[in-house]
């Protein structure tokens, strides 16, 4: 049985923000540690999210050293206080802060990881993932699930999904997306046949950094079971340490929960599952052909 939700993600995100602030200030770890009268090893562990205990006085001293404002200090202190619990990273600068009332705390954690990732590997057996949805497809899902929403709230939820897509469309360092979808995703109607046709054409015309493949019904059950949807997030390398800025993380979302795993054993298990699913998936050209073919069927 896979273990409990890890507690390292908030610490890693706190460490990443502190590291970015130090680098922006032009200081080495040794210099920053000396100036706040702490050991270089202590600061290095803090930046890597490996400190089991985080001193708020250290956070205050670092923020003062780096010249950041009170708002940022308060956000980092709040994150530090909750670093041993599942919680969202607090950063006033991110775009999704405008939608705090609509986004669950634990999903803000996912959006932060997705935006920071170098590669996102997804398997989705039921629905087109939000990061590649059309507005009309997203509306069809949101209006059904959030029946009590006002029209304005419903539209804001759609905007959140559309804004997430900038991670794969941005000009500088777009996220690489490797997407496996089951054939059920292609044929199950959300909204209307017209909505589905547009959605499938979008999947067939993705940018070069996005790879879409379809797992056909004829592929059966490559794992001998239905694994459910999952996401594997890989992060860019730190040029100083030559290591990823954060460990590869698996995100698993079900109807009632969101779980994050970063242990090597669990990550390897999901990578192996993805490899097995990939072996029976259609090639990219064949997948695009199927997407366009089914889009034509919906249009007719």
């Amino acid at each position: 049985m896979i273990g409990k939700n890890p507690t390292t993600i908030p610490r890693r995100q706190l460490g990443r923000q502190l590291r970015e602030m130090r680098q922006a200030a032009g200081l080495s770890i040794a210099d920053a540690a000396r100036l706040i009268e702490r050991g270089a090893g202590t600061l290095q562990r803090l930046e890597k999210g490996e400190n089991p205990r985080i001193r708020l006085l250290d956070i205050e001293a670092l923020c003062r050293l780096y010249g950041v404002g009170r708002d940022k200090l308060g956000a980092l202190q709040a994150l530090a206080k909750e670093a041993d619990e599942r919680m969202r990273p607090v950063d006033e600068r991110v775009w999704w802060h405008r939608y705090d009332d609509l986004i669950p705390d634990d999903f803000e954690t996912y959006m932060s990881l997705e935006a920071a990732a170098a590669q996102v590997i997804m398997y989705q057996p039921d629905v087109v993932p939000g990061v590649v949805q059309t507005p009309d497809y997203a509306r069809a899902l949101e209006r059904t699930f959030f029946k009590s929403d006002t029209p304005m709230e419903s539209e804001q939820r759609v905007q959140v999904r559309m804004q997430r897509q900038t991670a794969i469309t941005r000009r500088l360092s777009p996220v690489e997306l490797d997407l496996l979808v089951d054939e059920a995703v292609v044929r199950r109607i959300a909204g209307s046949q017209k909505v589905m046709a547009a959605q499938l054409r979008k999947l067939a015309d993705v940018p070069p950094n996005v790879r879409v493949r379809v797992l056909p019904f004829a592929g059966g059950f490559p794992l001998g079971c239905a694994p459910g949807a999952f996401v594997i997030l890989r992060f860019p390398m730190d040029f100083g340490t030559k290591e990823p800025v954060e460990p590869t993380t698996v995100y698993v979302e079900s109807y009632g929960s969101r779980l994050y795993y970063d242990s090597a054993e669990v990550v390897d298990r999901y990578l192996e599952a993805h490899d097995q699913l990939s072996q029976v998936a259609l090639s990219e050209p064949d997948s695009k052909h199927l997407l366009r073919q089914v889009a034509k069927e919906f249009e007719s």
Side-chain angles (χ1 to χ4, degrees):
M1 180 175 179
I2 295 175
K4 295 181 179 180
N5 203 24
T7 61
T8 60
I9 289 174
R11 287 199 295 272
R12 293 205 317 263
Q13 294 205 342
L14 173 65
R16 176 160 55 86
Q17 293 185 47
L18 292 173
R19 180 174 60 252
E20 290 172 353
M21 289 161 50
R22 175 179 57 75
Q23 292 171 343
L27 293 171
S28 67
I29 285 183
D31 288 338
R34 176 176 53 81
L35 290 169
I36 67 168
E37 299 182 346
R38 298 288 283 169
T42 298
L43 182 54
Q44 185 174 48
R45 287 191 297 274
L46 183 60
E47 289 189 357
K48 293 176 71 174
E50 295 177 351
N51 264 13
R53 179 174 176 270
I54 300 171
R55 296 187 351 145
L56 295 182
L57 288 176
D58 289 344
I59 304 300
E60 183 177 354
L62 289 169
C63 286
R64 187 165 54 248
L65 176 63
Y66 302 148
V68 301
R70 285 186 172 275
D71 288 346
K72 183 64 175 179
L73 169 61
L76 292 176
Q77 286 180 325
L79 183 57
K81 288 178 182 178
E82 301 295 334
D84 289 328
E85 299 178 12
R86 286 179 291 164
M87 63 162 292
R88 59 188 172 96
V90 182
D91 188 340
E92 299 294 333
R93 299 170 300 172
V94 295
W95 62 264
W96 52 82
H97 179 70
R98 302 194 304 272
Y99 303 99
D100 272 353
D101 293 342
L102 299 175
I103 303 173
D105 289 353
D106 51 358
F107 193 64
E108 272 198 54
T109 297
Y110 173 78
M111 290 197 300
S112 179
L113 292 172
E114 183 180 75
Q119 182 187 36
V120 176
I121 299 169
M122 288 185 173
Y123 170 63
Q124 180 51 258
D126 303 310
V127 65
V128 175
V131 74
V132 287
Q133 289 176 1
T134 65
D136 285 338
Y137 187 98
R139 287 187 188 99
L141 297 180
E142 295 290 359
R143 289 172 181 171
T144 301
F145 190 77
F146 296 100
K147 292 184 173 62
S148 62
D149 271 6
T150 66
M152 180 179 292
E153 288 172 332
S154 180
E155 195 59 27
Q156 285 179 330
R157 292 187 192 278
V158 172
Q159 290 306 312
V160 169
R161 297 194 184 203
M162 298 305 103
Q163 188 70 34
R164 277 179 58 200
Q165 298 182 14
T166 59
I168 62 173
T169 60
R170 62 196 181 205
R171 185 173 61 86
L172 296 176
S173 302
V175 174
E176 292 183 12
L177 176 62
D178 187 338
L179 174 60
L180 275 177
V181 296
D182 194 272
E183 188 174 345
V185 174
V186 177
R187 299 191 180 276
R188 189 182 300 276
I189 295 176
S192 68
Q193 291 187 342
K194 180 179 178 181
V195 168
M196 285 302 302
Q199 177 63 78
L200 297 183
R201 291 195 180 280
K202 176 169 182 170
L203 286 176
D205 298 326
V206 291
N209 57 302
V210 179
R211 183 185 188 193
V212 177
R213 289 168 296 160
V214 178
L215 183 64
F217 290 143
F221 292 89
L223 303 179
C225 66
F230 62 83
V231 181
I232 305 169
L233 302 112
R234 286 174 163 157
F235 299 92
M237 301 296 289
D238 185 300
F239 292 112
T241 65
K242 306 299 183 182
E243 296 180 356
V245 296
E246 294 187 10
T248 300
T249 300
V250 172
Y251 170 72
V252 181
E253 180 177 339
S254 64
Y255 188 70
S257 65
R258 296 181 177 90
L259 302 175
Y260 299 86
Y261 305 100
D262 61 4
S263 72
E265 180 182 357
V266 177
V267 169
D268 288 346
R269 181 175 179 180
Y270 276 94
L271 285 170
E272 182 180 352
H274 179 264
D275 286 343
Q276 290 180 254
L277 294 169
S278 296
Q279 289 173 16
V280 298
L282 299 177
S283 66
E284 287 184 78
D286 288 346
S287 295
K288 291 185 177 184
H289 177 74
L290 175 63
L291 291 165
R292 294 188 176 111
Q293 176 185 325
V294 178
K296 286 183 180 179
E297 293 173 8
F298 282 134
E299 289 168 339
S300 63

